[in-house]
């Protein structure tokens, strides 16, 4: 049996809503449209949250991979 | 169907106004003229904002990729 | 006798519960589903702990390798 | 039409006065003599500013790329 | 005479007890089981110390190399 | 005409006195003996300054490139 | 005449006592036994100093290169 790799999970999450938590405390919630090996990520219909509060609604957002801590399905 | 990559979103945003949020809290708003795989970015007719206030108007500005958190269409 | 490498330990820990401690003080506890050479990690049935308290239950979680300090079997 | 890249802007700025803003809050103003792909930069007839005040006049200055946030024509 | 390299010392320390001091002030003490060129390290029968006090006993622990300051035989 | 590169300036500064300013606020003043593409630097007859005060006289000093902000001829 | 490189200085310092100053304020003093291109360093008969005070005597110590600011002959 072939062993799974971390990017397989991101692949399965495509077009689904994910939570992206950043090193600066911000959380982005949106539909995972794209990612790459640097874990650069693009979300659609994204929301920016801080301390549990909605701060901004964004259409699409590109998030630079080196700012990300975790990505998890909503 | 071919899967989209994060830089595709930046490509579609060329010549459109984007918001670029930096790790130091600054936000640059301007027309996306150029970017590369390091996410180095050049904006035209750029404005620098801090805490929601306009601080500087710049013609062109080169922003080093490793200082960027997010890029989103305005 | 061939000498062991650090990723051998992670390989033996697959499908077992591990503790993942991050630079920001968070701890994730879950079943190690996948990892790669950057030490990007995916946990199943994961829990997020802070200062010894359970903060969140997550299904799967992708953790970016550069945020990790230690990984140890539970 | 070929698409422009971020270093094209720096190329056009050669021999012109630029503002270089650093992560530590310093600003260097001078004539852009040279740069490379790491965004290492050399300015001629450079001035060092802090909080809007002139701190030092330098002849030439080499600035290491990883300390730079933005470069913009004066 | 061939000149010694830093990893030679780690090789000689295999299966011996070492102290691993981290950037965040934690110290791990355990038997050096494995390391690689990134200085990722695995210790057996490891203890976690903080400010000279034992905090945790761990079986095995994987320590990500970029969090390490020094490694020294006990 | 061939365009100049940042390391050309460092080459011209060889055997001349330079100021090397570091991210931690220290300044080293000495004769530039050697440098490489990582901007690792060796100074001869070096002095260490902090807040404008001489702290140490050193013979030779090796300075790791990633700690450097600027290098300028004295 | 061939131009000297930074590692040449470290080569000449082999088997001599050096001071290694770290980003976290610690200083290690010991005989330079080995180094590599990452500036990972091994000292023999090493001492750890903080604020001018001896904190620990160590036999050998491996110091990860990315924690080092300067290396200078004692």
């Amino acid at each position: 049996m072939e062993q799974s790799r971390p990017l397989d999970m991101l692949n399965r999450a495509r077009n689904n809503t994910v939570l992206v938590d950043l090193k600066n405390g911000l959380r982005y919630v949106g539909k995972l449209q794209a990612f790459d090996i640097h874990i650069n990520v693009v979300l659609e219909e994204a929301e920016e949250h801080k301390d549990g509060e909605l701060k901004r609604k964004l259409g699409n957002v590109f998030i630079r991979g080196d700012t990300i801590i975790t990505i998890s399905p909503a």
Side-chain angles (χ1 to χ4, degrees), chain A:
Chain A
M1 194 185 83
E2 204 174 295
Q3 286 185 319
S4 75
R5 293 159 302 177
L7 298 198
D8 294 343
M9 186 206 109
L10 297 185
N11 236 334
R12 287 191 302 272
R14 266 184 206 269
N15 298 315
N16 294 319
T17 302
V18 294
L19 280 62
V20 180
D21 283 3
L22 302 199
K23 293 176 181 167
N24 67 357
L26 290 178
R27 168 175 295 171
Y28 290 88
V29 185
K31 221 165 89 181
L32 182 62
Q33 188 184 89
F35 64 89
D36 62 22
I37 55 163
H38 308 291
I39 321 302
N40 293 320
V41 155
V42 172
L43 301 182
E44 282 182 279
E45 300 163 29
E47 292 180 357
E48 182 183 289
H49 294 253
K50 189 171 185 181
D51 301 324
E53 270 180 54
L54 176 62
K55 304 302 283 184
R56 275 202 292 170
K57 293 208 176 210
L58 304 115
N60 283 9
V61 64
F62 173 98
I63 306 173
R64 204 172 186 270
D66 76 322
T67 66
I68 292 174
I69 301 179
T70 58
I71 303 173
S72 55

